[in-house]
Amino acid sequence: MAPAMVGTVEEKPKPLPLAIGIGGMVSGLREVYESGRTKELEWRQSQLKGLIRLLTDKEEEIFAVLHEDLGKNRGETFRDELGILVKSIKYTLQNLKKWMAPEKAESPLVAFPATAMVVPEPLGVVLIFSCWNLPLGLALEPLSGAIAAGNAVVLKPSELAPSTAAFLAANIPKYLDSRAVKVVLGGPIVGEELMEHRWDKVLFTGSERIGRIIMTKAAKTLSPVALELGSKCPCIVDWLDSKRDRQIAVNRIIGAKWSTCAGQACIAIDHIICEERFAPILIELLKSTLKRFMSKPGGMARILNEKHFERLSGYLDDNNVAASVVHGGDIDPKTLKIEPTILLNPPVDSDVMTEEIFGPILPIITVKKTEDCITYLKSKPKPLAIYAFTNNERLKRRIVEETSSGSVTFNDAVVQYALESIPFGGVGHSGFGQYHGKYSFELFSNKKAVFKRSFLIEFMFRYPPWDDSKIGTLRYVFSYNYILLFFNLLGLRR
Amino acid sequence: MAEEAKAVVGELRASFKAGRTRPAEWRAAQLRAIVRMVEEREQDITDALHADLAKPSMESYLHEISLAKAACTFALKGLKNWMKPNKVPAGVTTFPSTAQIVSEPLGVVLVISAWNYPFLLSIDPVIGAIAAGNAVVLKPSEIAPATSAMFAKLLPEYVDNSCIKVVEGSVPETTALLEQKWDKIFYTGSGNVGRIVMAAAAKHLTPVALELGGKCPAIVDSNVDLHVAMKRLAVGKWGCNNGQACIAPDYVITTKSFAPELVDSLKRVLERFYGEDPLQSADLSRIVNSNHFHRLTNLVEDKEVAQKIVYGGQTDEKQLKIAPTVLLDVPLDTGLMTSEIFGPFLPIVTVDKIEDSIDFINSKTKPLAAYLFTKDKKLQDNFVSNVPAGGMLVNDVALHLANPHLPFGGVGDSGMGSYHGKFSFDCFSHKKAVLIRGFGGEAKARYPPYTTEKQKILRGLINGSFFALILALLGFPKEKR
């Protein structure tokens, strides 16, 4: 499998040597950052171009490691990780100069003459933890943002996708400036050790549980964090009249569930909510379309590892849940494959309905009328994404205005990830902090307010000793009442 | 105590869930009520500030009352626009589609404020929270008890009590509040407590904004209008709560050759402002309490430090007053130079060349604000490019916080998150991405089984190629049946 690298395979505690290694690396990176190298436009551009070259030169190897780690097929890998990354980095390159430029801000007339602006500057040395399910994308997308913003970066890829992690550790130093961009391999112990240090920003993608641990550690050093966590992303499917609309909806639902790392994605559809009378139609169409899409082997990624396989098959062990299976349910522990499985109205307190599924099981919950879903949505923790297939404008408006989620997508799912113009991130239990496109640049920047004045005009009423007439003058200043101020200054008013 | 905190949060959650805080009318009504409170009760507010800090009424007006009112009026003016969804381009990959960013309130938020600008630092974030449509609890600082009591009494008379509450108290009450689940916590104060706030927030995955302190440096070049510069420096230091302000210049850096002239000019300005006996001046705030008084006097107790005093140094323990004090070339390893002073001492550090001051500043943690007095454009550019800070001013001090178009906040040890103006609204909002597609624009190339032809088109689509888009929309690749 993966070549054995320090800290990947076994997690025996290695306190001292590891501690010194990481401490030395962090202070080394600080020195490199302080030297100013990463702030230069040319450096940032060269790094981003290096990333693109890495992704294009090593395309075949990337397909291979993602297949090794997750059984992902080429189409999925290209669509969700490779292709999207190249597109995003090109977008960043195109806009970098613009993003780096100071933004002029207004200043009130009383401060005349003055100029005000907001100047973006890098935060310094940042840390990125990526997750195993999009092991390339969730590492390199934030990495490109951190570099674009002019930071030195440490990337800690998930040890649960070891081939991809090893690939990154081997190739990042070849294509990028290894003095300023580092890859650290390892598991939870390495992660903890990294968090003992102060960072100018930490971006963590993963589970709520670890998110809490990371933020608690970050609090000790006042390291600002951004957490991209998981959630149960619900998908509302309204009664659709047209056969064509139904087919398209089903295509897109399948694409966003089983075609996205076998449902192991934070933005994959977790479960469906639809009207009682629509459920049979939906289920039939799902079944027939699944048959066509999954006709060839390798159409779906496999489950990550035994632990997750057991977690998922465990959901189906519950008798009440097993009874609700209307399609699929077959599992193969040898190949870690669970076939696309659809449940109809499993008990709402079962594990499969309370935990984030992160797998190829799709519960369908029915309601009397579609609008009832609003109450349901409001009662649940805020998810990363809410999806709704509907032509009903009123329902769309109600979903946007009455529910809260990281994002909302109508009549499609998962594709919002590909758009650079909208922020990607959670709210509430699904996390905080947003990235993609310009948001990545801003996530890793400090927007410094700069206000310049000249010595030219002096207002005597600013200074002590103070008396009522000075206060009077200032009242006009602060209400921006320039006319009365003018008269006041001329001594014509009190 | 924990029960009370839970009850308060519970009530606010119910109000928020019921949708009370969402309509623009509600938000505007609350903001107008705060304006009325500031106008009608200006005397009460000034009295409270005087009781807590002996703050001169001019400072109360200038730095707290007028800024609070300005924040409300700015928010009232911008509210409708800020609440509108922001349309953004959607691009080829998801064509046809429309995309927008919708601002929504986070929910129920907690504002913990500080003692030095106890009115402004309480009401300003609350204004942002309200403008963004949240329900909010304000926990004013117990170290400014008169202002805290004033809030607890006055605010309920003006605003909607089911959504906006004041909870008074000290450590136990604050701890109880921090144990609850909030949608955001906004804290102004010290780094130590900031850490505690963030750790408590971590338990509930609550995002935080921390407005902390630091040592705000002020570089004074010889190429200046010295008299004006010293006036601005002095009013920004001693005219801001007698140095007890997070953005007050903490220390000055200048060249060895220019220092004597600078000190001279500063002395003259100080005498003009505060007279020959500054402890008698009504224009100087007192030190907030005896704890801080002793903390400060300890900083200059050491003989090595005391002998560097070139002006001032008078203290009055009974009145908790310390006069404006200037020191020249104190040893760099003493408390005065290693911790945030937050008081009326102004050390002057001298360097050989003025450019050396930049490295000196960068050897310390990132400040909330950094100041530079110079006419030299090159030095200005060097300063802006090479000194990381929350905010910076050239040729003046502290004013940037009064500009609502500039974000106000720290970086590194001076904090995270920013506010003022629209930034306050954003601070307490979630920017929700909304992508709207129709059932048109179906691209077969998206779905398995993934043939080579599909991959080609997919490649093109993702790369934003119009040609690929057209092919995809035309139904390519055609399926072989």
Side-chain angles (χ1 to χ4, degrees):
Chain A
M1 261 245 293
M5 299 209 73
V6 173
T8 34
V9 182
E10 295 129 334
E11 267 302 286
K12 296 200 188 80
K14 291 185 217 173
L16 214 51
L18 205 57
I20 290 174
I22 287 184
M25 175 194 72
V26 177
S27 45
L29 273 176
R30 275 214 181 275
E31 262 179 58
V32 170
Y33 175 73
E34 301 293 337
S35 77
R37 181 146 92 240
T38 61
K39 288 179 78 170
E40 305 289 324
L41 172 65
E42 292 72 34
W43 183 87
R44 307 184 201 194
Q45 287 170 328
S46 73
Q47 298 307 293
L48 293 170
K49 290 188 183 137
L51 266 176
I52 294 181
R53 271 196 333 269
L54 189 166
L55 293 167
T56 38
D57 286 355
K58 298 284 177 176
E59 205 179 85
E60 282 310 310
E61 208 177 315
I62 290 172
F63 285 135
V65 297
L66 281 162
H67 192 264
E68 244 174 72
D69 279 337
L70 293 154
K72 262 194 211 195
N73 58 65
R74 297 168 73 99
E76 244 193 84
T77 297
F78 183 80
R79 186 195 65 201
D80 297 345
E81 304 216 49
L82 247 185
I84 247 181
L85 264 173
V86 173
K87 170 165 110 87
S88 148
I89 299 172
K90 284 189 178 154
Y91 178 83
T92 301
L93 268 166
Q94 255 174 1
N95 290 286
L96 188 55
K97 244 181 157 171
K98 202 170 57 170
W99 296 345
M100 281 172 71
E103 257 178 69
K104 270 200 172 316
E106 271 179 57
S107 45
L109 200 56
V110 278
F112 182 85
T115 52
M117 47 190 190
V118 177
V119 176
E121 50 181 33
L123 288 167
V125 181
V126 306
L127 172 62
I128 297 172
F129 287 101
S130 66
C131 191
W132 52 262
N133 59 334
L134 270 101
L136 198 71
L138 295 176
L140 298 185
E141 170 64 43
L143 178 67
S144 67
I147 287 174
N151 300 279
V153 192
V154 171
L155 171 64
K156 194 197 108 30
S158 170
E159 73 282 14
L160 298 173
S163 301
T164 312
F167 168 83
L168 288 169
N171 287 287
I172 297 260
K174 285 196 200 135
Y175 286 85
L176 266 52
D177 181 353
S178 59
R179 282 162 300 175
V181 181
K182 306 258 183 215
V183 179
V184 173
L185 295 184
I189 292 183
V190 170
E192 267 188 56
E193 175 54 41
L194 283 166
M195 286 308 299
E196 291 293 317
H197 299 268
R198 185 179 74 79
W199 300 92
D200 295 298
K201 189 107 191 194
V202 179
L203 170 64
F204 169 78
T205 306
S207 72
E208 252 186 62
R209 189 181 69 86
I210 313 262
R212 279 195 183 84
I213 297 174
I214 300 266
M215 187 171 172
T216 307
K217 289 203 118 172
K220 295 203 175 83
T221 52
L222 283 177
S223 301
V225 304
L227 303 177
E228 301 280 325
L229 309 176
S231 65
K232 288 178 80 62
C233 296
C235 176
I236 299 111
V237 187
D238 196 5
W239 175 272
L240 298 168
D241 278 324
S242 125
K243 262 184 141 168
R244 186 178 171 276
D245 286 358
R246 291 177 189 176
Q247 183 62 63
I248 289 175
V250 163
N251 292 347
R252 293 175 178 179
I253 290 169
I254 295 177
K257 177 71 166 184
W258 296 286
S259 254
T260 302
C261 207
Q264 301 166 104
C266 51
I267 39 165
I269 293 177
D270 183 273
H271 58 284
I272 286 185
I273 305 161
C274 72
E275 280 181 14
E276 270 173 352
R277 54 179 185 139
F278 195 66
I281 302 172
L282 187 58
I283 292 171
E284 270 321 298
L285 207 46
L286 279 166
K287 284 182 179 180
S288 58
T289 315
L290 272 169
K291 209 156 154 213
R292 271 189 296 127
F293 282 10
M294 304 297 171
S295 55
K296 296 206 178 75
M300 197 170 78
R302 64 151 211 274
I303 305 307
L304 173 76
N305 56 22
E306 270 170 33
K307 185 168 138 218
H308 282 276
F309 182 87
E310 271 158 35
R311 176 181 64 81
L312 288 163
S313 47
Y315 292 147
L316 303 174
D317 282 343
D318 180 337
N319 284 330
N320 294 321
V321 173
S324 69
V325 174
V326 293
H327 178 81
D330 272 349
I331 65 178
D332 184 353
K334 273 206 304 280
T335 55
L336 291 183
K337 291 227 156 154
I338 296 180
E339 59 166 336
T341 301
I342 303 177
L343 311 171
L344 181 59
N345 285 323
V348 286
D349 56 355
S350 55
D351 286 342
V352 77
M353 282 310 296
T354 52
E355 293 174 10
E356 184 181 8
I357 297 172
F358 228 69
I361 300 172
L362 180 72
I364 298 182
I365 308 296
T366 58
V367 288
K368 285 240 153 12
K369 16 189 248 319
T370 305
E371 288 217 9
D372 295 344
C373 72
I374 304 269
T375 324
Y376 172 87
L377 291 171
K378 281 162 78 163
S379 70
K380 301 276 174 204
K382 300 176 188 181
L384 194 49
I386 289 179
Y387 303 113
F389 287 87
T390 178
N391 286 314
N392 182 338
E393 293 304 317
R394 193 183 116 90
L395 179 65
K396 288 183 196 168
R397 209 175 41 246
R398 283 196 69 192
I399 291 177
V400 173
E401 289 172 10
E402 298 183 39
T403 69
S404 182
S405 54
S407 67
V408 179
T409 301
F410 291 112
N411 298 326
D412 211 330
V414 169
V415 287
Q416 72 273 19
Y417 187 80
L419 222 51
E420 292 95 4
S421 53
I422 48 176
F424 179 80
V427 65
H429 277 259
S430 49
F432 52 85
Q434 298 175 315
Y435 69 122
H436 283 196
K438 184 171 189 215
Y439 298 94
S440 294
F441 178 88
E442 299 193 335
L443 183 71
F444 292 105
S445 297
N446 171 38
K447 297 194 109 180
K448 183 166 73 180
V450 178
F451 198 35
K452 288 191 190 179
R453 296 209 66 211
S454 95
F455 291 108
L456 199 53
I457 298 182
E458 259 303 77
F459 289 127
M460 295 313 295
F461 49 80
R462 276 179 73 179
Y463 307 113
W466 283 313
D467 55 40
D468 284 336
S469 74
K470 282 190 180 176
I471 296 188
T473 306
L474 264 151
R475 270 182 210 276
Y476 296 129
V477 171
F478 280 109
S479 58
Y480 301 125
N481 192 332
Y482 297 107
I483 296 181
L484 289 178
L485 172 63
F486 181 64
F487 286 131
N488 174 289
L489 289 175
L490 287 181
L492 290 175
R493 265 189 85 115
R494 292 224 144 267
Chain B
M1 209 158 305
E3 286 309 310
E4 278 169 37
K6 214 163 162 207
V8 165
V9 178
E11 190 186 334
L12 288 179
R13 272 213 186 281
S15 306
F16 180 77
K17 262 196 155 142
R20 282 188 74 90
T21 61
R22 313 287 300 246
E25 295 71 38
W26 180 90
R27 308 183 200 191
Q30 304 311 304
L31 295 174
R32 281 194 293 266
I34 294 175
V35 172
R36 266 197 336 270
M37 180 179 95
V38 169
E39 286 174 345
E40 290 170 11
R41 313 305 272 262
E42 189 179 318
Q43 196 53 55
D44 290 313
I45 299 170
T46 309
D47 289 343
L49 291 169
H50 196 265
D52 281 333
L53 293 152
K55 201 173 270 216
S57 55
M58 181 73 161
E59 270 190 55
S60 297
Y61 177 73
L62 220 87
H63 297 156
E64 301 218 42
I65 293 170
S66 63
L67 288 177
K69 208 160 123 181
C72 281
T73 36
F74 191 83
L76 278 163
K77 231 172 67 173
L79 192 60
K80 278 243 151 79
N81 256 337
W82 299 347
M83 286 174 69
K84 270 207 288 235
N86 186 15
K87 276 198 150 33
V88 292
V92 168
T93 312
T94 52
F95 183 87
S97 58
T98 56
Q100 48 182 225
I101 298 170
V102 174
S103 292
E104 51 180 39
L106 289 167
V108 180
V109 305
L110 173 63
V111 172
I112 302 176
S113 121
W115 55 260
N116 59 337
Y117 285 85
F119 183 71
L120 181 68
L121 296 178
S122 298
I123 203 71
D124 207 345
V126 166
I127 290 168
I130 291 172
N134 299 279
V136 51
V137 168
L138 166 65
K139 212 307 277 165
S141 171
E142 68 278 16
I143 300 180
T147 310
S148 176
M150 177 221 61
F151 269 121
K153 180 163 165 302
L154 288 191
L155 205 57
E157 287 175 25
Y158 288 84
V159 298
D160 180 349
N161 285 314
S162 68
C163 305
I164 302 166
K165 292 205 185 286
V166 178
V167 173
E168 289 195 87
S170 57
V171 175
E173 287 81 6
T174 311
T175 308
L177 285 171
L178 285 172
E179 281 166 8
Q180 308 307 313
K181 174 163 159 35
W182 303 93
D183 296 301
K184 185 135 189 177
I185 301 178
F186 186 100
Y187 169 77
T188 307
S190 74
N192 286 337
V193 179
R195 282 174 174 81
I196 296 173
V197 170
M198 188 169 165
K203 297 205 176 76
H204 295 287
L205 294 169
T206 300
V208 302
L210 305 175
E211 300 276 323
L212 310 174
K215 290 180 81 60
C216 298
I219 305 176
V220 183
D221 188 21
S222 53
N223 181 3
V224 287
D225 186 333
L226 185 57
H227 184 59
V228 175
M230 289 303 97
K231 279 198 297 185
R232 294 178 180 180
L233 179 72
V235 82
K237 171 78 170 185
W238 296 285
C240 281
N241 223 11
N242 206 6
Q244 301 166 96
C246 51
I247 35 104
D250 185 277
Y251 64 99
V252 164
I253 313 178
T254 191
T255 52
K256 289 190 171 28
S257 49
F258 193 61
E261 212 182 315
L262 188 157
V263 171
D264 224 35
S265 177
L266 191 52
K267 283 183 184 175
R268 270 181 279 127
V269 164
L270 283 171
E271 223 179 88
R272 253 263 292 271
F273 282 5
Y274 305 110
E276 277 180 15
D277 191 2
L279 292 179
Q280 300 305 320
S281 166
D283 292 329
L284 268 183
S285 296
R286 67 151 208 268
I287 306 306
V288 67
N289 60 24
S290 59
N291 255 348
H292 280 276
F293 182 88
H294 288 114
R295 176 185 65 80
L296 286 164
T297 49
N298 283 340
L299 287 174
V300 294
E301 219 178 31
D302 194 330
K303 225 178 25 187
E304 264 194 42
V305 176
Q307 67 192 12
K308 301 291 184 181
I309 295 179
V310 295
Y311 182 89
Q314 308 94 308
T315 65
D316 178 344
E317 190 167 345
K318 232 174 54 188
Q319 300 216 53
L320 291 180
K321 286 212 158 182
I322 299 181
T325 303
V326 182
L327 307 99
L328 184 56
D329 284 327
V330 300
L332 296 177
D333 56 356
T334 59
L336 211 54
M337 284 309 300
T338 55
S339 59
E340 184 178 6
I341 298 171
F342 225 69
F345 301 131
L346 183 73
I348 299 178
V349 173
T350 56
V351 289
D352 289 321
K353 322 193 294 323
I354 198 67
E355 289 81 9
D356 297 342
S357 54
I358 299 212
D359 284 336
F360 185 89
I361 296 175
N362 288 339
S363 70
K364 300 194 171 292
T365 58
K366 299 178 189 176
L368 186 53
Y371 305 110
L372 168 65
F373 287 90
T374 186
K375 290 185 189 163
D376 179 346
K377 188 105 202 332
K378 238 179 102 194
L379 185 59
Q380 289 180 8
D381 288 344
N382 186 359
F383 180 68
V384 172
S385 305
N386 295 313
V387 176
M392 337 182 94
L393 246 84
V394 176
N395 294 331
D396 216 321
V397 165
L399 278 191
H400 61 310
L401 68 82
N403 184 344
H405 301 280
L406 287 175
F408 181 81
V411 64
D413 280 10
S414 53
M416 47 183 90
S418 55
Y419 71 128
H420 285 189
K422 179 163 193 266
F423 303 98
S424 292
F425 177 89
D426 292 340
C427 180
F428 291 101
S429 297
H430 166 59
K431 304 286 176 180
K432 183 161 78 177
V434 178
L435 177 62
I436 307 168
R437 296 207 69 200
F439 289 102
E442 194 43 358
K444 285 215 197 70
R446 285 171 66 172
Y447 308 112
Y450 293 112
T451 58
T452 338
E453 294 84 35
K454 277 192 181 178
Q455 285 186 56
K456 278 210 200 102
I457 292 192
L458 208 56
R459 225 171 251 272
L461 261 182
I462 290 180
N463 285 328
S465 150
F466 275 113
F467 184 62
L469 171 66
I470 292 172
L471 284 182
L473 292 177
L474 287 176
F476 284 84
K478 296 292 186 195
E479 259 165 17
K480 302 179 183 78
R481 292 210 177 264

